[in-house]
Amino acid sequence: MRNDITSNSENITTTNGRVDNIEKDVDKLKSSVAQGTSTEKAEDAVLREMKDRETRKENIIIHGLQEPDSSVKGGPNRKKLDINNIIQILDSIGCKVDFDEDVKFCIRVGERLESHDKRQRPVIIGFREPKIREKILNSARKLSTTKFKDIGIVPDLTARQRPEDAAVIRECEEKNNTISR
């Protein structure tokens, strides 16, 4: 009987060791599955960012374009006025754009503000060809010498690109300040 008890005790000890090893393996599997899930999420985020950049690569944003006043009624009339103003701005920097041929869309971003609010909503313009966008962005610095000096034309960047772009601009300004001293 003592031999049976000793044998059973040894079997229990061996079984407990095996259970401990199995529990460790399960924990490792859980950890690798969790890492795999986070890796998949990271990959999804990268793919979304790439897709977002691809859709924005032909767009510009115009800041500071005066909103049509409240006497202009109806969305199409307001849009027509915006387009006419944009054509004037682009002409002033030497960029001729045929809105019917070259532009995919032109929209103001956000809700229309009350007439007493002086903030202007930005305008996003999507072009059919990236070269049109590039020409406008390269000429945008000329705005400072026109009557449209309060207007800003910038590329349409993703939320992830904006801080990176701002950091590069700050670095360039710092280097320029160092050189000019």
Side-chain angles (χ1 to χ4, degrees), residues 9-39:
S9 292
E10 289 173 2
N11 286 341
I12 290 172
T13 304
T14 304
T15 303
N16 284 341
R18 287 181 182 167
V19 167
D20 288 342
N21 287 338
I22 290 171
E23 285 177 348
K24 288 178 186 176
D25 289 344
V26 166
D27 288 341
K28 286 179 186 176
L29 287 172
K30 283 181 182 178
S31 174
S32 67
V33 166
Q35 288 175 350
T37 302
S38 65
T39 302

Side-chain angles (χ1 to χ4, degrees), residues 160-174:
R160 188 178 208 160
Q161 287 176 299
R162 281 182 227 124
E164 294 169 1
D165 193 53
V168 169
I169 290 170
R170 268 193 311 277
E171 182 181 343
C172 290
E173 288 172 349
E174 289 171 3

Side-chain angles (χ1 to χ4, degrees), residues 23-83:
E23 285 177 348
K24 288 178 186 176
D25 289 344
V26 166
D27 288 341
K28 286 179 186 176
L29 287 172
K30 283 181 182 178
S31 174
S32 67
V33 166
Q35 288 175 350
T37 302
S38 65
T39 302
E40 289 173 14
K41 287 180 183 178
E43 288 172 356
D44 287 346
V46 169
L47 290 174
R48 276 192 306 277
E49 176 72 15
M50 289 172 58
K51 184 177 179 183
D52 198 13
R53 287 182 185 195
E54 184 67 23
T55 60
R56 293 170 183 250
K57 76 178 182 182
E58 296 166 344
N59 301 350
I60 62 169
I61 300 178
I62 298 180
H63 294 278
L65 181 64
Q66 187 66 41
E67 294 262 359
D69 64 27
S70 57
S71 66
V72 179
K73 300 293 182 197
N77 293 333
R78 297 173 68 79
K79 185 172 184 171
K80 211 178 286 186
L81 189 60
D82 278 343
I83 289 172

Side-chain angles (χ1 to χ4, degrees), residues 98-160:
D98 179 357
F99 259 74
D100 294 329
E101 292 292 320
D102 299 330
V103 175
K104 288 191 287 190
F105 63 89
C106 176
I107 58 169
R108 285 220 182 235
V109 181
E111 289 186 38
R112 194 171 75 186
L113 305 170
E114 297 300 320
S115 61
H116 64 277
D117 195 340
K118 298 295 181 205
R119 293 178 294 167
Q120 294 93 16
R121 296 176 294 159
V123 179
I124 298 180
I125 304 172
F127 296 99
R128 297 190 194 288
E129 295 291 326
K131 64 183 178 186
I132 298 170
R133 171 192 185 250
E134 292 308 313
K135 182 179 179 189
I136 292 169
L137 290 173
N138 289 333
S139 300
R141 60 186 163 81
K142 297 177 188 175
L143 283 170
S144 63
T145 61
T146 69
K147 68 178 184 178
F148 302 109
K149 62 183 174 216
D150 295 331
I151 302 292
I153 299 177
V154 296
D156 186 10
L157 302 176
T158 66
R160 188 178 208 160

